[in-house]
Amino acid sequence: MLKENLEAVEEKIQAACKRAGRDRDEVTLIAVSKTKPVEMLREAYDLGVRIFGENKVQEIRDKYEALPKDIQWHMIGHLQTNKVKYIADKVELIHSVDSLKLAETIEKEAVKHNRVIDILLEVNVAREASKFGLAMEEVIPLFNKIGKLPHLRVRGLMTIAPFVENPENNRAIFADLHKLYVDIKEKNIDNGTVSILSMGMTNDYEVAIEEGATMVRIGTGIFGARDYSTQ
């Protein structure tokens, strides 16, 4: 199943890139493995997957110990300040920074591990009350404040678009975030570090790619439906 799913996803990514006149190399696939057992991740690893996204700190900790060390772990879920210490030495990228307090906590833990941690600012473009993330107008002010933290590097922006039956309904959201992303790059407030736009999931990643996504986060499309009964 995994092999066929990965091949299907890859074909759709390539087709979306072609429609948008983009190079396939511009888009990074993150296999979202939350709630999935280590055995399934190992199977994906054997098929060539090296970047996995997790929503929970505990899952990153457990899977990090059980799987090969050349895997890149991405924290894509909401991150509580009191749990940063458990993953500060394990993650390649944190997608979900939405406050100065969280950024300052990550900075403190980065110092302890003598590393610079790459982060994305999470933007709640649709202003959904049920979701975390910054309002669009809050992004650049926070960006400027985080820029003073020497052990953090803001690499770009992330959003979780609403779940919709028709992916076209999210096109405007992706387009709006892409405009902000381009604006940040053009103003050069990032000192050249911004190159990541993480948007698009199983139900809408093709539209996200057409609107400029450089990372897509795909779980169900690769691993199948999740079973939350054991959580």
Side-chain angles (χ1 to χ4, degrees), residues 173-230:
I173 287 168
F174 296 141
D176 285 349
L177 193 63
H178 183 257
K179 283 179 199 164
L180 180 59
Y181 168 79
V182 170
D183 194 31
I184 288 169
K185 287 167 72 73
E186 286 180 346
K187 287 180 177 174
N188 203 33
I189 63 172
D190 61 312
N191 296 318
T193 63
V194 166
S195 63
I196 297 173
L197 188 55
S198 172
M199 58 186 194
M201 299 192 289
T202 293
N203 62 316
D204 57 15
Y205 67 93
E206 294 167 85
V207 171
I209 290 169
E210 290 168 6
E211 294 300 330
T214 70
M215 278 187 177
V216 290
R217 310 179 305 272
I218 302 176
T220 304
I222 295 172
F223 296 103
R226 295 185 190 93
D227 177 10
Y228 289 102
S229 64
T230 57

Side-chain angles (χ1 to χ4, degrees), residues 55-66:
N55 274 49
K56 293 187 176 178
V57 166
Q58 188 61 48
E59 284 203 65
I60 289 181
R61 291 178 74 188
D62 293 346
K63 292 171 180 176
Y64 178 89
E65 295 302 330

Side-chain angles (χ1 to χ4, degrees), residues 28-39:
T28 299
L29 170 62
I30 301 169
V32 178
S33 46
K34 62 182 182 181
T35 79
K36 296 301 180 182
V38 166
E39 295 73 28

Side-chain angles (χ1 to χ4, degrees), residues 49-117:
V49 176
R50 291 295 180 273
I51 305 176
F52 291 90
E54 289 286 344
N55 274 49
K56 293 187 176 178
V57 166
Q58 188 61 48
E59 284 203 65
I60 289 181
R61 291 178 74 188
D62 293 346
K63 292 171 180 176
Y64 178 89
E65 295 302 330
L67 289 159
K69 293 300 177 277
D70 62 334
I71 286 174
Q72 292 183 24
W73 294 100
H74 288 216
M75 178 64 189
I76 62 174
H78 178 62
L79 181 58
Q80 296 170 293
T81 53
N82 65 343
K83 292 188 176 178
V84 173
K85 60 190 174 186
Y86 299 119
I87 60 166
D89 60 333
K90 297 175 176 64
V91 290
E92 185 79 14
L93 182 65
I94 298 172
H95 289 234
S96 48
V97 176
D98 61 358
S99 71
L100 183 59
K101 181 184 177 186
L102 177 56
E104 288 172 340
T105 303
I106 297 169
E107 166 74 15
K108 288 174 187 171
E109 294 301 326
V111 171
K112 291 177 186 176
H113 293 285
N114 192 30
R115 64 177 302 214
V116 174
I117 296 180

Side-chain angles (χ1 to χ4, degrees), residues 1-10 24 29 31 38-52 67-68 70-71 221-224:
M1 179 192 77
L2 273 185
K3 185 173 186 290
E4 290 78 9
N5 288 354
L6 278 166
E7 287 172 353
V9 167
E10 178 58 34
R24 169 65 183 89
L29 170 62
V38 166
E39 295 73 28
M40 193 173 272
L41 274 71
R42 194 169 284 118
E43 184 182 347
Y45 179 91
D46 290 342
L47 290 167
V49 176
R50 291 295 180 273
I51 305 176
F52 291 90
L67 289 159
D70 62 334
I71 286 174
I222 295 172
F223 296 103

Side-chain angles (χ1 to χ4, degrees), residues 115-211:
R115 64 177 302 214
V116 174
I117 296 180
D118 287 341
I119 66 169
L120 303 179
L121 299 184
E122 181 174 357
V123 190
N124 187 350
V125 183
R127 295 179 180 267
E128 290 184 277
S130 61
K131 286 185 180 155
F132 295 98
L134 302 158
M136 295 278 279
E137 64 272 14
E138 295 174 320
V139 173
I140 290 177
L142 181 59
F143 204 119
N144 289 326
K145 291 174 183 174
I146 292 177
K148 298 180 176 70
L149 302 175
H151 294 83
L152 285 198
R153 184 164 49 202
V154 183
R155 298 297 314 282
L157 307 175
M158 180 272 252
T159 195
I160 300 172
F163 183 82
V164 290
E165 292 298 326
N166 182 0
E168 286 296 328
N169 293 342
N170 281 337
R171 189 177 291 277
I173 287 168
F174 296 141
D176 285 349
L177 193 63
H178 183 257
K179 283 179 199 164
L180 180 59
Y181 168 79
V182 170
D183 194 31
I184 288 169
K185 287 167 72 73
E186 286 180 346
K187 287 180 177 174
N188 203 33
I189 63 172
D190 61 312
N191 296 318
T193 63
V194 166
S195 63
I196 297 173
L197 188 55
S198 172
M199 58 186 194
M201 299 192 289
T202 293
N203 62 316
D204 57 15
Y205 67 93
E206 294 167 85
V207 171
I209 290 169
E210 290 168 6
E211 294 300 330

